[in-house]
Amino acid sequence: MKKLLLIFSVTAMQCVYGQDSISIKKDTVKVSSEKNPLDIGELRINLNDKGDKWLKFGISSQIWLRSIDNNPGTAVNGVPQNQTYDAGIRRMRLIIQSQVTPFYSVFLQMGINNQSFNSGGGTGTGNNGAGKKSPFFFHDAYNELAIIPRNDFQTGKPNKNNLYLGAGLHSWNGVSRLTNASTTKMLAGDIPVFNFPTIEMADQFARQLGIFVHGELDRINYRFSVNKPFATSLKPAVGGPAVDNNQSGKLSYSGYAFYQFFNKETTVTSFLPGNNLAAKKVLNLGAGFYTNKDATQSQPTENNFESHDVSIFGADVYTELPLGNKNKEMGLTLYSVFYRYNYGPDYLRISGLLNPGTSDPLFTGQRALEGAGNNRVLMGTGNIWFSQMGFVLPKFSKILKVQPFFNYALKDMKALNQNGSYYDIGANLYLYGQNARIVAQYSSRPLYDTASQKVFDRKGEFLLSFQIVL
């Protein structure tokens, strides 16, 4: 008990006073942070003098304020609304990571997602008010063994190749860099969500249960996994599109690899950053896949059910380029990815982040195929091309950086008769590196007519996001 109190006292002192290193020889416990004075650092406790046994904590929070142009026929809390102002918790996370020996580690991530004033609630319904008490759950929970470590256990020198084996609830995903995205180092206000091909269907918030390997082969960074998808059992309508139904229980297989032309990235966790403020020169080319046999089902004629294999392919390029005078700290970030999705005939998913709306039964005008609120066509059988660009403006402050950005997605869905263009434009304001970020973003989405399945209108959404990462 005394040792625990000592450890947490040191951690608290380090957070408050910002010391670079606090050591206690008696218990060989060390709490260390980054040397950069503009970086808040990390909450880490070294469990021995060598520093190869440690316990690390992470905390992140993303709070959203929005103005939403609702789809036609939307009611919010039972009242018809064309526009809605709301506030919500997009993400709130706690990470505990431990290397208990130089070759064995544990990773846990817990938290909540998508809680607003009327959605995302767990037990808070009815008289208690919709949206209250969002469920707190494990996002990641896995163990990992170093087969070939990044650094030699004896000499501490880096190995040219490394290999790690793990098992549990994990996000070592395939398909693309964006399918393995870090949600604390995003370029825009959020990730586009279609980068997670089975999100909240055959996975738990982009995670599945299974085994995985990851590592490096010289300049090739790779990850592969074999998983047991979460069970789905939706029933298809007669003559309707394929729906998620994997009752036959087949395993899923996924993988992603990228070649690193310039500076190499260290992948201690599964999450790949989409934005490092172009601090280093990076150029990576990658490709990946996800497959699951008999994962969806359709019903061409009454009581005649057909199963369909799900296969997803992705190819991408990611680059960060410092530009101009080094003292100006300017830089360009570019990412582009192509996805080919096959979920079965006319499969289509529609979703809206923290959607505040429901259908207004009294509405008599033209409704959208997407439904109410801020719903949009998310993904489906077909192709999506997504690109984003950001530019760090010349340095003008010791603690503040400004980075305008632009996103564009072109969706070609087999179930629709017209391609859809989606875009986001905005700017990041960074304080103290990437520990604190404010995002201002405007997004535009098309709406499809239910009969013609062609675009008939567009709606917008303004987002102000506040993010803290420790």
Side-chain angles (χ1 to χ4, degrees), residues 101-120:
T101 75
F103 54 86
Y104 190 77
S105 62
V106 178
F107 185 86
L108 302 174
Q109 182 173 194
M110 302 149 281
I112 68 170
N113 306 286
N114 300 336
Q115 183 180 18
S116 73
F117 69 99
N118 72 340
S119 68

Side-chain angles (χ1 to χ4, degrees), residues 7 15-17 57 61 97 105 107 112 118 136 222 244 256 259 273 315-317 336 346 357 396 413 423 432 440 464:
I7 290 172
C15 293
V16 172
Y17 296 108
F57 301 91
S61 167
Q97 188 177 0
S105 62
F107 185 86
I112 68 170
N118 72 340
F136 185 90
Y222 62 88
D244 291 272
Y256 175 66
Y259 186 86
D316 58 11
V317 56
S336 188
D346 291 334
F396 63 92
M413 302 288 96
Y423 67 83
Y432 297 100
L464 193 60

Side-chain angles (χ1 to χ4, degrees), residues 21-53:
S21 179
I22 300 175
S23 300
I24 300 173
K25 294 181 180 179
K26 179 180 179 181
D27 295 290
T28 64
V29 176
K30 183 182 290 184
V31 182
S32 60
S33 68
E34 298 293 332
K35 298 291 184 181
N36 185 350
L38 297 184
D39 195 328
I40 295 175
E42 61 181 15
L43 304 176
R44 170 170 166 151
I45 302 171
N46 286 337
L47 303 179
N48 62 357
D49 287 330
K50 191 176 180 180
D52 59 1
K53 298 179 182 179

Side-chain angles (χ1 to χ4, degrees), residues 151-166:
N151 300 306
D152 186 273
F153 290 148
Q154 302 300 323
T155 66
K157 295 181 178 180
N159 288 320
K160 187 175 183 180
N161 306 317
N162 59 72
L163 172 65
Y164 289 80
L165 170 68

Side-chain angles (χ1 to χ4, degrees), residues 427-447:
N428 296 313
L429 280 73
Y430 285 99
L431 301 167
Y432 297 100
Q434 289 184 275
N435 291 110
R437 178 175 77 139
I438 301 173
V439 188
Q441 174 179 297
Y442 177 78
S443 303
S444 177
R445 64 188 187 275
L447 297 181

Side-chain angles (χ1 to χ4, degrees), residues 55-96:
L55 185 64
K56 188 188 298 184
F57 301 91
I59 303 170
S60 66
S61 167
Q62 293 171 13
I63 307 300
W64 279 13
L65 305 178
R66 295 185 300 175
S67 172
I68 303 169
D69 294 332
N70 291 318
N71 296 345
T74 293
V76 177
N77 204 25
V79 178
Q81 285 191 9
N82 294 323
Q83 186 180 39
T84 300
Y85 299 97
D86 81 342
I89 300 173
R90 176 66 175 103
R91 297 177 181 91
M92 191 76 69
R93 305 283 178 80
L94 170 65
I95 294 174
I96 302 174

